[in-house]
Amino acid sequence: AKKRDFEQAFVSAARAVNDEQYRPRALSLQGVIRIAEGKLIEAEKYFSEALFQKPGFSLALAGLALLAETERRIEDAGDLYLQALQSE
């Protein structure tokens, strides 16, 4: 995908962050976009904030699992995927 497409998606998700109902989901989507861009430290911050907003949120846990997988922390990734499956 093009860098511009990622930024457009990120801006759309950022707008949704303002709506309390969609905030954890929007933050998690921003994290996924940052992973796709290779901005892994930023990605982790978005997933962590989503979990702060909604503890146990499966999309944020799955995002952290994807991040761990991207960083080749396979055991951590497996644990996080399992947590994501068992939550909500």
Side-chain angles (χ1 to χ4, degrees), residues 16-66:
V17 168
N18 294 323
D19 187 331
E20 194 173 321
Q21 176 183 357
Y22 299 112
R23 187 171 297 141
R25 183 168 301 196
L27 288 164
S28 297
L29 291 174
Q30 286 179 306
V32 170
I33 293 164
R34 289 305 188 225
I35 289 175
E37 294 176 318
K39 298 177 181 178
L40 306 183
I41 293 170
E42 277 189 54
E44 186 171 12
K45 290 177 185 176
Y46 286 104
F47 297 130
S48 295
E49 180 61 25
L51 287 168
F52 177 77
Q53 296 285 326
K54 188 174 181 179
F57 185 52
S58 61
L59 187 58
L61 290 167
L64 284 174
L66 177 62

Side-chain angles (χ1 to χ4, degrees), residues 58-80:
S58 61
L59 187 58
L61 290 167
L64 284 174
L66 177 62
L67 178 62
E69 191 175 345
T70 301
E71 295 175 332
R72 305 222 189 291
R73 295 183 291 116
I74 303 306
E75 191 172 319
D76 291 341
D79 291 343
L80 287 161

